[in-house]
Amino acid sequence: MDTVTLQIDGHTLTVPAGTTIWDAAASIGITIPALCHDPRMAPVGVCRLCAVDIGARTLVAACVRACEDDMEVHTSTEQVVDDRRTLLELLLADYPEDSRREAATGDDELLALARAHGIEAIPYPDGAIGQPRGEDHSSAVIAVDHQACILCDRCIRGCNALQHNDVLTRTGKGHTTRIAFDLDTPMGESTCVACGECAAVCPTGALTNRALAGLQLMTEEQS
Amino acid sequence: MKQLDAQASDETSRQRVATRAVDTLCPYCGVGCAVTYVADVDHNRIVHAIGRDGAANAGRLCVKGRYGHDYASHPQRLTRPLIRLQNAYPKGQLSPMEQRPGKPGGPVEHDAVLPHFREASWDEALQVVADRLLGIRESHGSDALAGFGSAKGSNEEAYLFQKLVRAVLGTNNVDHCTRLCHASSVAALLESMGSAAVTNVVRDVARADVAILTGCNPTENHPVAATFIKDAAAAGTRLIVINSRRPQIADYAALYLPIRPGTDVALYNAMLHVIIRDDLLDHAFIRERTEGFEAVAEAVREVTPAAAERICGVPAADIEQAARMLGEANAAMFFWGMGISQHTRGTDNARCLISLAMVTGNVGRPGTGLHPLRGQNNVQGASDAGLIPMVYPDYQRVDDPAVQERFERDWGVPLSPRPGLTVTEIISAARDGDVRGMYILGENPFISDPDVNKVREGLANLDFLVVQDIFLTETAEFADVILPASSFMEKAGSYTNTDRRVQLGAPVLQPPGEARQDWELICEIAQRMGYPMAYDSVADVFDEFAACTESYASLSHAALGLRGRWYPCSNPETSDGEPIVFGDAFPRGPAMLVATRFTPADEQPDGDFPLVLSTGRVLEHWHTGTMTRRSAALDTLAPDASVELNPTDARKLGISDGQQVRVTSRRGTITLMAELSEAVLPGTVFIPMHFREACANLLTNPAVDPWGKIPGFKFCAVRVEAAREAA
């Protein structure tokens, strides 16, 4: 098998040719932050939070970029972290005050990353003011909050690539871009089979389990 | 500037819930998905399901596993033993079959039935059970008793239940719902290979060039397995889908063959004809691994595609193409479901599929195999554990003196050498007065068995019936004593999925009220009947079961761990078990190929009953609805029964979509909503089996397959007419 040898944060490692930087880093215990990537899915490189420094003109998305021989990857330089912080602030600029996921299961990945990066205030205007993206409560089991959607495409890949239900897609352009069901029908009237994969893979409060509304789950030790 | 508060949730309006996460399994279908349920500790209910990285599901779940867990906390759970009141005799059903105007549909009318019973202590209830069963054994003999176990119970419960019936009640009259689902497949596989388990796992379809999916609807009935089949199709596996009601997975098929109901043998024999005619055979495999090929070749000699087309309605050119795709594939896999097995010639249907696989050498290699998709979460394990009237655990025949001697030694009592009665035979015997006492654990034959009016007569005629269940089921309406049991969510035990993977379920909740563990109740009834049956734990029961079941011999609860193992498993320390079996030899030696000839279904349509009814399941519901109709999410998603009718037939009958119609067979009538659908062929209708208020099994034909003794749920003659609006 063809292999390539590279350095990540000073560690030298050899991986099969074609391995992404994200996977190579994961194999030696370095978790590169990502919101769109999930190891169960083909990477799409849309959230850019996994951007790392390989000494090239710009940062590269680790989830899609293949390792190369003699590559020197730095996953947490000041520039990389600054870049991430700016991306998080932009994503949070029009994020709802109250993430349904954070309130219920406490595992909103966007807010967790923001906290990890010490973000306390958003230096950008709230893009939601005057142009709310809306919600969809037509499904019996899943609540949709478009305002919390960061267009990471995880739900779309979960629906189409993992479950092959082929219901979820994107619609609109520019600011009006959002996820949609079938030909943009309400979720509850679409061909959705309610498998819940989209809500399971969603990293934010965009797709959540309706049954958890009003609950704040704590693990037993915390209570 | 917008501030980010990490704890931004509105604390005051939210209920803080202490939770505990438990790694266990989904309780529904045979796929056996691994799941983590997150339970609200204080309120003893599950709030949330997370897919776990199990061998069968890789983190994926379907709507039932993800949202159908709340049945366990339903307020109608049985919490105390119940004894029938004197004024509730003579026995009969206690809540109405049909939906009354203004009365919401649903399962048993709990409030109407409950007043016919009084609460009792465990001591009183168990003593009544033991005394009454002993009384019938003494006055009418052991064969006047019978038991139905359940494919929803664990391996340990199945083992103990059949042990109780055989060693304590003294009869082999013990069966369960495998009789209603894959009994014919099991008969054909045992006859051919000497084993009835699948030869390879679902996910092996990724390595198949061609997969035949016949008489199955995996996107609704095995949804997570379907995702892996669709994965394979996306990566190049060509699917050949055969069905009389177009399943959604046909959208992913290279070839879809719509077949007239009940004509499978003609189609497969024509495919065999083409494969032999064009010499697409695996001669070495036929020579070294099979016997009986000449008889099969002789039987299909005249069955040309053109001749088959006249019977099954599939164009001859499509039959030729399917046969060539199969014959030319390097690796082909066969999936089948109830559309094959639930026929009065179901065993012949399965024999044909076995022959197609064997003559093309498609068993025992990667991407090849025979996979009857198991329905219940533990139908494989319940069968392995001997919940079958002809066999002890591990399919050892009760009429083999050496086997009988071994179990008499192990269990310390004389055992009956007579094979027992099957599910439908037990119901007939109850009606005729030959079976007088029954113990039914976790089954609901009043809704699940064919010709419900006959079942009603049988159950009502019993001298004594004890029902052990989690809800007041339709069957419990006929009980003398009802014992409140534990749901899947409240017990430990092992379950064997459709892939032969033995996995552990773990308790997530506390049983409600005084409800008790099923395995303890079985033991206590045995003790009170004078037979010592005591174990320290479920793991000890497993060890006794494994000791008499070769394919489980190397396993134990400790060895199964969080991920389980496929059986056979030479050494669970080092091996995950065998995903593919019979690479070198079959248990019986050479595989037996059995010739079949097309025989029409038992009950043909005529002028009075011109349409063919097939029954089955819908995605959101499970069997008799006992669980899923008490799940808020599932019942909201699919609240009503409907009959699928082809628009061509609907036009002739003057019926429009959504209209109430009456469906009548030679045995009964039900009223439900018409749903026009191109998925069903003209001349056929489909009704789901879950709805008591439109009970499909009032219509079905109790005639059974001669070998598997399985009823032909997929074929009976009916008529459909517009219902008059209720006055």
Side-chain angles (χ1 to χ4, degrees), chain A residues 89-113:
Chain A
E89 287 167 354
L90 287 165
L91 287 172
L92 287 162
D94 62 352
Y95 201 67
E97 293 277 341
D98 190 1
S99 155
R100 269 199 192 89
R101 182 174 298 271
E102 189 68 5
T105 45
D107 59 347
D108 184 313
E109 295 178 38
L110 173 56
L111 290 180
L113 275 181

Side-chain angles (χ1 to χ4, degrees), chain B residues 310-355:
Chain B
R310 287 191 289 277
I311 297 169
C312 68
V314 177
D318 288 352
I319 300 175
E320 297 257 0
Q321 195 190 343
R324 275 196 306 276
M325 279 170 65
L326 170 62
E328 290 165 3
N330 178 48
M333 185 167 175
F334 293 74
F335 291 100
W336 72 92
M338 308 293 93
I340 290 298
S341 60
Q342 288 178 337
H343 283 286
T344 48
R345 290 281 163 169
T347 305
D348 273 347
N349 293 346
R351 284 169 174 155
C352 287
L353 297 176
I354 294 167
S355 292

